Amino acid sequence: MVRTHTVVAGETLPDLALRFYGDAGPGRLIATASGITDPDDIAVGQHLIIPDFTRYTAVVGDTLPDLASRFHGDTSFAPLIATASGITHPDDIDAGQELIIPDLTRYKTLAGDTLPDLASRFYGDSSFSPLIATVNGVTGVTGVTGVTDSDDIGAGIVLAVFAGRSDGFGLSIVDRNEDDPRMWYYRFQTGAIGWNPGVNVLLPDDYRTSGSTYPVLYLLHGGDEDFRSFDFRGIRDLTAGKPIIVVMPDGGRAGWYSNPVSSFVGPRNWETFHIAQLLPWIDANFRTYAEYDGRAVAGFSMGGFGALKYTAKYHSHFASVSSHSGPASLRRDFGLVVHWANLSSAAVELGGGTVYGAPFWNQTRVSADNPIERIGSYRNKRIFLVAGTSPDPVNWFDSVNENQVLGGQREFRARLSDAGIPHEWHEAPGGHVFRPDMFALDLDGIIARLRPAALVSSSSAMPGAA
């Protein structure tokens, strides 16, 4: 949901722009979004919208209507780019000129819509309704100029609603970068984790300009890795042209996608961070299908276990699950995976604490997390499994890891088959490695299973989704 602000004594738009954007220049953007005609005249108690934006450098032949059509799908939004960019003559832009392109949601009104209702939906406060009226009055949207807060504004009117990513669901943004055309980065402060975890959000090629809603893949990294790992593995090329958002969060070097039994270094509740905080934050701040058929989860190694675990424990959240060399059985071979989770988490994650408890396990928690003990939870889902058949015999880590993965996945597959649950599986040459060819195959299956990308409708547009 877009950020908002109420003016206090002594504040100016350049000061607020510096606070929210790190740059005094976008003060004009705040004025544009807030329906302010004189940027030097703001009053205490005045409501302001603090939207996100894209910086764009004009090239030869660019016109504001063309840019409005490219970024927002509507040439009538050109004046908003002009005012946000401080352009007084909209027909005169030069190559090399830097423009501010506001993040907007196009909303087509339904019968019975009122401005207070829309202000509450998109800005979280019905008292922001005059801003919607003023902004859309200046853009010349038919039927909006002169309406009062209580008016039924009629059906079929396309409104410009400012958008952006903001705090919420227990997450406070402490660092962000949305300059890349596709890969947007955020770092959060959260009570669930004792440090500030990062998240990469990889957008479809046309996200900024399509106005479409997209399915989401949550992609979980392996042990001793972080949220950047899949970028290093070429995730941008693997997803080029694909109509899906990919969310890649931190999960701790040995967090095991769990809330641990004990920690001596502060909270490391990765399960809470991912499921209770990040997932709803993504749905509130991006154009996603916030529903079962709109989400998939996949992962490599420790992340493959996390994907299987989250799918079983939160059955209504994910329609597709994929485990690339991820363990599917915690208790086999005298609980080797549980022992490894406890040892690795104690050494690098929890300062001597453990995920499942030592020397005695929390048996209830082990069973709750163990995919092979939750077979019924995988019904009516797409399931994709990959394991290596020939790990390096000289490399102890590779050999023990992938042999355990292969044995556990075979046991898991047998249980799925006994229960009549369809699943796709692959045993590939090699050891404990991420296989780009298998991921590419998996991604096509994920996209086929989830809801396809489609233009945002009035009924599906999420509040504040940019």
Side-chain angles (χ1 to χ4, degrees), residues 365-384:
R365 187 169 296 191
V366 172
S367 293
D369 287 0
N370 193 3
I372 208 164
E373 294 183 59
R374 305 291 301 271
I375 293 298
S377 297
Y378 295 95
R379 293 189 184 280
N380 304 315
K381 297 180 183 295
R382 174 187 174 273
I383 304 168
F384 185 94

Side-chain angles (χ1 to χ4, degrees), residues 14-101:
D15 289 342
L16 291 173
L18 189 62
R19 181 193 312 173
F20 287 105
Y21 303 126
D23 180 356
R28 293 185 299 265
L29 171 64
I30 301 174
T32 300
S34 306
I36 297 172
T37 55
D38 183 359
D40 295 325
D41 184 21
I42 60 173
V44 173
Q46 188 170 357
H47 291 320
L48 303 178
I49 301 296
I50 317 291
D52 287 328
F53 66 94
T54 298
R55 293 186 188 275
Y56 175 80
T57 302
V59 299
V60 174
D62 275 341
T63 68
L64 291 186
D66 288 344
L67 293 175
S69 178
R70 185 191 313 172
F71 282 92
H72 305 311
D74 194 328
T75 59
S76 70
F77 293 164
L80 295 177
I81 301 176
T83 56
S85 303
I87 297 173
T88 54
H89 301 288
D91 296 328
D92 184 20
I93 59 174
D94 300 319
Q97 185 173 356
E98 186 176 84
L99 306 178
I100 288 179
I101 312 292

